Amino acid sequence: DAKTTQPTSMDCAEGRAANLPCNHSTISGNEYVYWYRQIHSQGPQYIIHGLKNNETNEMASLIITEDRKSSTLILPHATLRDTAVYYCIVRNRAAGNKLTFGGGTRVLVKP
Amino acid sequence: NAGVTQTPKFRVLKTGQSMTLLCAQDMNHEYMYWYRQDPGMGLRLIHYSVGEGTTAKGEVPDGYNVSRLKKQNFLLGLESAAPSQTSVYFCATQTDTGQDRGYFGPGTRLLVL
């Protein structure tokens, strides 16, 4: 599985957009980029995923660079409830669909 | 539709004791996974299963065994618990399409004294 690199932590102001970067320079052509978050010590929660194109859903937007070596998760209007650890994961369907978690980015949304 | 459930929610063991954690899902998913999460760390894959009757080792399989006798259940066993196995254990499931999101259970908190 491709390794991902994320900043350890970041702060964000409530109501502003939060942009979370992720590097995955060794990603291969059939690997998807997934984002999950973990609030406190709950089970991880799915946010969004993509292969090549940018994606948007009710929670967030995912921007993947053309060379697919990096991506950015955008939370358009951060709220205090978005405070969590965010994990960027590259998943290889051929390898048991395993989700390999790194250290993630600890996001603190401040009032 | 309960999704993914884990039993028990919390357990305290003494070193050397054994126990089994149960993960149950009602979504008819083929793939099931067991992860552990130590304080301040990300999740690490212990074992996984791509279908009924099959299991495979993950990143940190030592000290654990698993079984998938029924499609809806994935059991994680600790034969002789050690303090190093104190952790939060998460189960996850997904379909075999490759594009599906993973569904995680609420976790089992295990303390080994």
Side-chain angles (χ1 to χ4, degrees):
Chain A
D1 295 339
K3 183 178 179 180
T4 61
T5 304
Q6 300 177 251
T8 303
S9 64
M10 64 183 296
D11 294 345
C12 176
E14 186 179 18
R16 304 293 295 270
N19 297 304
L20 283 64
C22 179
N23 286 320
H24 31 79
S25 59
T26 59
I27 193 170
S28 59
N30 62 349
E31 292 181 321
Y32 286 79
V33 178
Y34 278 75
W35 283 84
Y36 285 79
R37 72 181 184 184
Q38 189 174 27
I39 297 173
H40 193 43
S41 51
Q42 299 174 18
Q45 175 190 23
Y46 167 84
I47 301 174
I48 198 167
H49 75 278
L51 181 63
K52 294 180 180 179
N53 300 320
N54 298 338
E55 302 288 344
T56 296
N57 62 20
E58 65 278 5
M59 290 183 67
S61 295
L62 173 61
I63 309 298
I64 302 174
T65 58
E66 191 169 346
D67 62 7
R68 302 209 325 121
K69 294 183 183 300
S70 66
S71 61
T72 300
L73 178 74
I74 301 173
L75 306 177
H77 305 286
T79 70
L80 299 180
R81 288 176 294 180
D82 291 323
T83 291
V85 178
Y86 288 76
Y87 295 99
C88 169
I89 298 165
V90 173
R91 187 167 92 181
N92 188 334
R93 180 180 179 183
N97 273 328
K98 293 177 289 184
L99 295 169
T100 302
F101 288 78
T105 297
R106 189 171 298 276
V107 174
L108 176 62
V109 180
K110 296 182 175 180
Chain B
N1 186 343
V4 182
T5 59
Q6 293 184 229
T7 309
K9 291 183 172 56
F10 177 72
R11 184 77 181 268
V12 179
L13 288 179
K14 294 181 179 178
T15 297
Q17 287 185 318
S18 64
M19 78 164 294
T20 300
L21 283 68
L22 169 64
C23 176
Q25 53 110 349
D26 61 3
M27 297 175 284
N28 202 36
H29 287 172
E30 290 291 333
Y31 290 18
M32 297 187 74
Y33 309 82
W34 275 109
Y35 292 87
R36 62 174 288 174
Q37 185 174 34
D38 299 330
M41 306 286 288
L43 282 72
R44 292 184 293 170
L45 183 64
I46 305 172
H47 286 282
Y48 65 101
S49 168
V50 300
E52 182 178 323
T54 71
T55 63
K57 294 180 180 180
E59 182 186 359
V60 288
D62 294 342
Y64 305 94
N65 57 74
V66 288
S67 64
R68 183 96 180 270
L69 300 179
K70 294 183 179 180
K71 186 177 184 179
Q72 63 268 34
N73 295 337
F74 195 28
L75 301 174
L76 177 70
L78 287 74
E79 291 186 348
S80 180
S84 60
Q85 294 178 304
T86 293
S87 190
V88 180
Y89 292 85
F90 290 101
C91 174
T93 77
Q94 63 187 47
T95 65
D96 61 352
T97 64
Q99 291 192 48
D100 183 39
R101 52 172 283 188
Y103 295 78
F104 283 81
T108 294
R109 284 154 182 75
L110 176 65
L111 174 62
V112 182
L113 301 175

